[in-house]
């Protein structure tokens, strides 16, 4: 941040020098000298690098665009632009910038081949070219994932299996043909299809917004007596306040989630939460930026001053308090300003309620499939195998809007910290998308009791059919209940 402040001061001085009119010529005919233009490009590029250092990607993008006006084919600036666009989730644009970066490096290599005294320079450029190729490959992979839902799931499974606490950070989220909608009649928010979908079609693939694996819970942590939640679940709730203060995106996403005993929040703001569907990523416009070049050197210089000032202000806001950007988090009271040293804090009680209502357990076994803890050696072996799995508790904030149905219309599975949700049958546009919170092989009474603890009763086809059957054939209910199937 100190470096960015110093660069901004230098930019202000140089831009002022560029705007100084000559003694004899009109201002419109007084472009900056070549040396001043070169210094401006360097300072703008350094400003972009500084913003990348603390995650102010939009400011980094703005600074890089300004630098490219002065030096359109500068390899380093093009790389900074690619990294900024990558951070913003604009992967196809980032790949284009990375390709331009590689082309600039190729020109440097071609130029150095004619100079026999530049072997060290060629080695450095060759290494940068190799790194750039790897970066371009990863950008194309993330573009395919985010825009088309094309994942190498076998490769991701191998990545996850290589760690006891897998976090697949090199992959992008995919939001397919689903969107959050108001269910009406006081039912809160639901996820619905935005277009017809086919059975097996990928609807959602997202990394956990927050996750705690069982193996990451400190051995010294002991849950309160009578606590029903897992140790990983409780540890996650303990970690959330600090995480929400540190990340505006996480604070925004959490603030729109329901917590038991609280009013239902409004529909999440798509831009604030970053829930950008794949359809919106196709053909993303690269034009129309506020910093687009205008005619005349004086107008260009004045525009650059304004753009650089906005980029600097946004970077300072992001660097000093990322959570300041989570508007609804402040409205709801999830984030608060403390009187002690004017620091931020998060409402731990509200976050605990959000966590209790919306957490997913990553262990793929459903309750009825858990191995027995006693008896045969086979059961003991099954328990040992279960303990080696990367189980834990996590928050996937968009998936939290899925409502329950015992007879749901999706299948979900985990690869490391990635949650995948696919349609299990064809669905029309506007259909509610559901998941099951329970094992559907549980009896009706078991399911009803489990859902009662969650504060609601299920009205899905399976439950409605069983209720109707009980009403029409009460004489058979006792016999079925005696067989432990109810």
């Amino acid at each position: 941040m100190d470096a960015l402040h110093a660069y901004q001061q230098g930019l202000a001085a140089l831009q002022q020098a560029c705007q100084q009119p000559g003694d004899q010529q009109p201002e419109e005919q007084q472009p900056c000298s070549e040396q001043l233009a070169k210094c401006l490009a360097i300072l703008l590029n350094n400003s972009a690098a500084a913003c990348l250092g603390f995650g102010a990607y939009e400011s980094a993008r703005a600074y890089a665009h300004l630098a490219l006006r002065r030096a359109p084919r500068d390899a380093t600036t093009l790389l900074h632009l690619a990294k900024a666009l990558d951070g913003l989730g604009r992967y196809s644009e980032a790949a284009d910038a990375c390709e331009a970066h590689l082309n600039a490096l190729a020109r440097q290599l071609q130029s150095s081949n004619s100079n026999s005294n530049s072997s060290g320079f060629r080695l450095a450029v060759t290494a940068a070219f190799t790194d750039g190729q790897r970066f371009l490959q990863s950008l194309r992979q993330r573009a395919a994932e985010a825009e088309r839902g094309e994942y190498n799931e076998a490769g991701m499974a191998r990545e996850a299996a290589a760690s006891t606490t897998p976090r697949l950070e090199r992959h992008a989220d995919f939001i397919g043909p689903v969107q959050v909608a108001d269910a009406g009649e006081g039912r809160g928010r639901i996820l619905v299809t935005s277009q017809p979908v086919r059975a097996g079609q990928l609807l959602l693939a997202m990394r956990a917004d927050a996750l705690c694996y069982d193996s990451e819970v400190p051995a010294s942590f002991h849950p309160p007596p009578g606590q029903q939640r897992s140790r990983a679940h409780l540890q996650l709730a303990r970690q959330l306040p600090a995480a929400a203060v540190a990340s505006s995106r996480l604070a925004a996403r959490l603030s729109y989630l329901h917590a038991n005993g609280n009013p239902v929040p409004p529909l999440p703001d798509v831009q604030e939460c970053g829930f950008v569907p794949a359809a919106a990523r196709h053909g993303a416009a690269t034009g129309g930026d506020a910093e687009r070049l205008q005619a005349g050197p004086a107008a260009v210089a004045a525009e650059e001053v304004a753009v650089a000032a906005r980029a600097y202000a946004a970077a300072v806001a992001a660097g000093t308090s990322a959570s300041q950007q989570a508007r609804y988090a402040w409205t709801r009271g999830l984030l608060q300003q403390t009187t002690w040293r004017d620091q931020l804090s998060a409402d731990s009680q509200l976050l605990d309620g959000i966590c209790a209502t919306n957490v997913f357990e990553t262990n793929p076994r459903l309750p009825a499939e858990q191995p027995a803890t006693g008896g045969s050696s086979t059961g003991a072996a099954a328990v040992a195998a279960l303990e080696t799995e990367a189980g834990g508790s996590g928050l996937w904030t968009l998936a939290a809007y899925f409502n329950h149905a015992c007879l749901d219309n999706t299948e979900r599975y985990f690869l490391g910290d990635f949650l995948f949700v696919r349609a299990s049958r064809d669905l029309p546009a506007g259909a509610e998308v559901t998941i099951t919170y329970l094992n559907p092989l549980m009896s009706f009474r078991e399911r009803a009791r489990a859902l009662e603890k969650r504060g609601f009763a299920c009205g899905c086809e399976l439950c409605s059919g069983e209720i109707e059957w009980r009403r029409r054939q009460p004489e058979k209910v006792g016999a079925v209940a005696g067989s432990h199937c109810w």
Side-chain angles (χ1 to χ4, degrees), residues 39-120:
C39 289
L40 268 173
I42 291 172
L43 284 174
L44 289 165
N45 188 29
N46 289 349
S47 297
C51 291
L52 288 174
F54 53 85
Y57 297 115
E58 182 57 41
S59 294
R61 185 199 65 84
Y63 278 123
H65 269 303
L66 289 175
L68 288 170
R69 287 182 175 183
R70 303 290 181 180
R73 299 197 295 181
D74 183 75
T76 304
T77 307
L78 288 165
L79 179 60
H80 289 160
L81 176 61
K83 290 181 176 180
L85 291 167
D86 180 30
L88 292 169
R90 294 161 60 171
Y91 303 114
S92 288
E93 293 175 76
D96 291 342
C98 189
E99 283 192 87
H101 161 70
L102 290 173
N103 291 335
L105 290 177
R107 287 191 293 271
Q108 291 181 10
L109 281 173
Q110 186 176 11
S111 174
S112 67
N113 287 335
S114 60
N115 187 349
S116 60
N117 297 322
S118 59
S119 58

Side-chain angles (χ1 to χ4, degrees), residues 138 141-142 145 155 159 167-172 207 418:
S138 70
Q141 168 201 296
R142 285 194 286 279
E145 292 169 343
E159 284 183 63
R167 288 178 168 83
L168 309 186
E169 298 175 349
R170 297 186 296 109
H171 300 274
R207 284 192 68 216
F418 252 84

Side-chain angles (χ1 to χ4, degrees), residues 2 172 178 192 230 303 312 314 357 383-384 451:
D2 290 341
V178 293
V192 300
S230 69
E303 188 184 8
Y312 176 69
T357 309
V383 172
L451 294 175

Side-chain angles (χ1 to χ4, degrees), residues 61-285:
R61 185 199 65 84
Y63 278 123
H65 269 303
L66 289 175
L68 288 170
R69 287 182 175 183
R70 303 290 181 180
R73 299 197 295 181
D74 183 75
T76 304
T77 307
L78 288 165
L79 179 60
H80 289 160
L81 176 61
K83 290 181 176 180
L85 291 167
D86 180 30
L88 292 169
R90 294 161 60 171
Y91 303 114
S92 288
E93 293 175 76
D96 291 342
C98 189
E99 283 192 87
H101 161 70
L102 290 173
N103 291 335
L105 290 177
R107 287 191 293 271
Q108 291 181 10
L109 281 173
Q110 186 176 11
S111 174
S112 67
N113 287 335
S114 60
N115 187 349
S116 60
N117 297 322
S118 59
S119 58
F121 175 76
R122 283 199 302 274
L123 286 174
V125 175
T126 300
F129 191 87
T130 302
D131 291 341
Q133 287 179 312
R134 284 195 291 263
F135 184 38
L136 177 59
Q137 183 179 8
S138 70
L139 288 172
R140 286 174 172 165
Q141 168 201 296
R142 285 194 286 279
E145 292 169 343
E147 296 169 11
R148 300 185 295 279
E150 297 175 0
Y151 289 89
N152 178 3
E153 295 185 24
M156 294 176 71
R158 288 191 292 271
E159 284 183 63
S163 172
T164 57
T165 58
R167 288 178 168 83
L168 309 186
E169 298 175 349
R170 297 186 296 109
H171 300 274
D173 293 344
F174 170 77
I175 301 177
V178 293
Q179 60 189 24
V180 184
D182 188 338
E185 301 178 357
R187 292 180 54 221
R189 292 81 45 81
I190 58 174
L191 275 173
V192 300
T193 54
S194 56
Q195 64 186 49
V197 301
R198 306 178 309 278
Q201 185 173 342
L202 183 63
L203 303 178
L204 190 69
M206 297 190 77
R207 284 192 68 216
D209 293 283
L211 174 67
C212 179
Y213 285 107
D214 296 335
S215 59
E216 294 177 319
V217 181
S220 58
F221 174 57
H222 300 289
Q227 179 58 247
Q228 298 297 313
R229 289 187 276 174
S230 69
R231 295 175 74 245
H233 189 155
L234 294 171
Q235 179 66 14
L236 175 65
R238 296 171 68 194
Q239 296 171 346
L240 272 185
V245 168
S247 168
S248 62
R249 179 57 52 80
L250 177 61
R253 291 181 173 185
L254 291 173
S255 66
Y256 286 97
L257 293 182
H258 178 57
N260 281 331
N262 287 269
V264 177
L267 296 179
D269 183 286
V270 172
Q271 295 303 320
E272 188 178 345
C273 295
F275 292 145
V276 181
R281 295 179 183 273
H282 291 295

